[in-house]
Amino acid sequence: MTGNESGRRHTRDDVAETALRILDDYGLPDLTMRRLAAALDVQPSALYWHFPNKQTLLADLADRIVARGVGVPSADPATGPGLATGPDATAWPDRLRAESAALRDALLAYRDGAEVVASTYALGLGDSAAQHRLAAAAASGGFDAETSDRAATALLHFVLGHVSHEQQRMQFDSIGVLATGEAADPLDVSGSAAAFAFGVDLLVGGLERLGDQSRSGSLSRSRT
Amino acid sequence: MTGNESGRRHTRDDVAETALRILDDYGLPDLTMRRLAAALDVQPSALYWHFPNKQTLLADLADRIVARGVGVPSADPATGPGLATGPDATAWPDRLRAESAALRDALLAYRDGAEVVASTYALGLGDSAAQHRLAAAAASGGFDAETSDRAATALLHFVLGHVSHEQQRMQFDSIGVLATGEAADPLDVSGSAAAFAFGVDLLVGGLERLGDQSRSGSLSRSRT
DNA sequence: ACCTGAACACCGTTCAAGT
DNA sequence: ACCTGAACACCGTTCAAGT
């Protein structure tokens, strides 16, 4: 299905896609070079012709996971009915919220997706597509580049942290059925989404407030 | 110095403190059970009498790192001179900012401190001292428990993400002196602090704005 | 261009047994 | 109460050599 079934010779793309399948089916701890090699019917050493090391492979996966999340505007029906505005005319706070939600969806689409992207981002590897998309959304609000970048970084940290936590909890729940009578309940699915929206609203709201302040010229004290 | 030099018999506390020293001196990747055992002049298997597994050990370290950050109000002279208010009379936004800064300081006090705490938190292990302190600070602003909790979680995610990134960059800089003429510059130290403050301000500002809105009764639409 | 074979230098964890 | 000895079942990575 990946394009190479048993023809024995692989491309970098084959390797990455097979890795992505192992990740999604068995999780990050089970995504080892040796397991990946076995899935490709190849010796572990063969992988090092395609990728210099494991981190580089993971960075590639991270980029694919994030990139696969474009074109999904929000998947959230709460944006309101009949707004009928052009895609460019959307108010920037909504664009920022939509971009954050799309990123969350992208991360949730693969098991341990958030952790893969977070660790890659922490190591400074990978294209920074997520960061750039968020920064562009912020910049559409008229903020200068540094402010947009910092807001994007703050949002990204929150999103990665939140979804990592969320995914950790998902596989924890799926294993131990919890001995504590109360159970983990699927209510938490919507609870997680609400908590996510709340965090995003806090950051976007903070940015809106910052815009209001500079517009009314009440910058209490300029920072040294 | 840890209390046990070569008396050969160790306590759980000995083990944790020695682990903390290895962490700080050599970093998280070098903190292996085998290395820790060697530092204690003990067989690796001996560690499993004190801790059931490595994650539990790391959770213990995380708790110690966070706990060691209490009593350090802010370490930031920018809070303004001569306020002379009692410790309890501080405005809640300042308290939240101070708590966030103290947490950052605590994490920065140990090499890879943020990653240790973040992974422990993600796994749902450890006391949640950091989370609780932040939630208490938020609650002192008059917000209900759920709002305070969610604000604390958002802040915590941001802080852990930011400081992880910051620490990763620190050890990256200390190794590769960077071939790119521009260099990594110590300016980034203050840049990191400013970016941190900005992120915290965004979240705290968002919370203030939320307070303002509910006070003026303009909750556009109540969420379903 | 892509892979094998074999090795190097490691891991975390278990468990019977010792003192 | 605290540890040894020995093993189990793994890791990521390198490198000469093959086709």
Side-chain angles (χ1 to χ4, degrees):
Chain A
M1 305 183 162
T2 321
N4 199 316
E5 310 252 315
S6 60
R8 241 171 299 122
R9 224 111 204 162
H10 297 288
T11 122
R12 188 184 160 100
D13 209 80
D14 281 338
V15 177
E17 288 300 326
T18 304
L20 228 25
R21 280 199 50 169
I22 295 179
L23 176 70
D24 202 30
D25 291 346
Y26 306 99
L28 186 54
D30 279 8
L31 175 51
T32 67
M33 297 301 266
R34 298 177 109 98
R35 207 182 205 293
L36 174 55
L40 289 163
D41 255 311
V42 133
Q43 295 294 322
S45 50
L47 302 175
Y48 291 85
W49 192 90
H50 298 283
F51 294 92
N53 52 52
K54 193 182 181 180
Q55 262 311 333
T56 307
L57 205 215
L58 290 178
D60 199 285
L61 303 191
D63 292 345
R64 285 165 192 261
I65 291 169
V66 170
R68 224 148 280 187
V70 303
V72 186
S74 169
D76 191 355
T79 346
L83 274 185
T85 48
D88 237 283
T90 357
W92 66 266
D94 278 344
R95 189 176 155 194
L96 214 38
R97 276 186 276 262
E99 212 69 78
S100 301
L103 177 57
R104 173 169 175 266
D105 290 343
L107 298 173
L108 284 176
Y110 287 90
R111 170 125 72 129
D112 292 337
E115 214 184 318
V116 171
V117 174
S119 79
T120 292
Y121 175 67
L123 291 171
L125 302 177
D127 58 31
S128 313
Q131 161 98 274
H132 291 143
R133 288 172 63 87
L134 290 169
S140 76
F143 300 97
D144 62 278
E146 188 176 42
T147 302
S148 301
D149 263 21
R150 284 176 168 173
T153 303
L155 260 169
L156 187 56
H157 281 142
F158 167 72
V159 173
L160 292 176
H162 178 91
V163 182
S164 285
H165 203 172
E166 204 171 350
Q167 285 180 320
Q168 193 62 45
R169 217 181 169 308
M170 285 170 77
Q171 73 184 113
F172 193 86
D173 290 357
S174 70
I175 300 170
V177 202
L178 271 308
T180 21
E182 286 303 307
D185 70 37
L187 241 172
D188 187 75
V189 172
S190 68
S192 235
F196 178 80
F198 180 83
V200 171
D201 281 349
L202 237 41
L203 286 159
V204 173
L207 206 53
E208 290 187 274
R209 199 176 118 107
L210 207 154
D212 294 349
Q213 280 177 342
S214 66
R215 228 170 283 125
S216 67
S218 68
L219 294 158
S220 46
R221 266 165 292 169
S222 63
R223 315 206 163 240
T224 50
Chain B
M1 303 185 165
T2 321
N4 198 315
E5 311 254 312
S6 60
R8 238 170 300 122
R9 224 109 205 161
H10 297 287
T11 122
R12 189 185 158 99
D13 208 82
D14 281 339
V15 177
E17 289 300 326
T18 304
L20 229 24
R21 279 199 50 170
I22 295 179
L23 176 70
D24 202 30
D25 290 346
Y26 305 99
L28 185 56
D30 280 7
L31 176 51
T32 68
M33 297 301 263
R34 298 176 111 98
R35 206 182 207 291
L36 174 56
L40 289 163
D41 254 312
V42 134
Q43 295 293 324
S45 50
L47 301 176
Y48 291 83
W49 191 91
H50 298 283
F51 294 91
N53 51 52
K54 193 181 180 180
Q55 262 311 331
T56 309
L57 205 215
L58 290 178
D60 199 284
L61 303 191
D63 292 346
R64 286 166 193 262
I65 291 170
V66 169
R68 223 148 280 187
V70 303
V72 186
S74 166
D76 190 355
T79 347
L83 273 184
T85 49
D88 237 283
T90 358
W92 68 266
D94 278 344
R95 192 178 153 192
L96 254 184
R97 276 185 276 261
E99 213 68 77
S100 301
L103 177 57
R104 172 169 175 264
D105 290 343
L107 299 173
L108 284 176
Y110 287 90
R111 173 130 65 133
D112 291 337
E115 214 184 320
V116 171
V117 174
S119 79
T120 293
Y121 175 67
L123 291 171
L125 301 178
D127 59 30
S128 314
Q131 161 98 277
H132 291 142
R133 289 173 62 87
L134 290 170
S140 77
F143 299 96
D144 63 278
E146 188 177 42
T147 302
S148 302
D149 263 21
R150 284 176 168 172
T153 303
L155 260 168
L156 187 56
H157 281 142
F158 167 72
V159 173
L160 292 175
H162 179 91
V163 182
S164 285
H165 202 170
E166 204 170 350
Q167 285 180 319
Q168 194 61 44
R169 219 182 167 307
M170 285 168 77
Q171 72 185 110
F172 193 87
D173 290 356
S174 70
I175 301 170
V177 202
L178 271 310
T180 19
E182 285 302 309
D185 70 40
L187 241 173
D188 188 73
V189 172
S190 67
S192 235
F196 178 79
F198 180 83
V200 171
D201 281 350
L202 235 42
L203 286 159
V204 174
L207 206 52
E208 290 187 274
R209 199 176 118 108
L210 206 155
D212 294 349
Q213 280 177 341
S214 65
R215 227 169 285 126
S216 66
S218 68
L219 293 159
S220 45
R221 267 165 291 171
S222 64
R223 317 207 161 239
T224 51

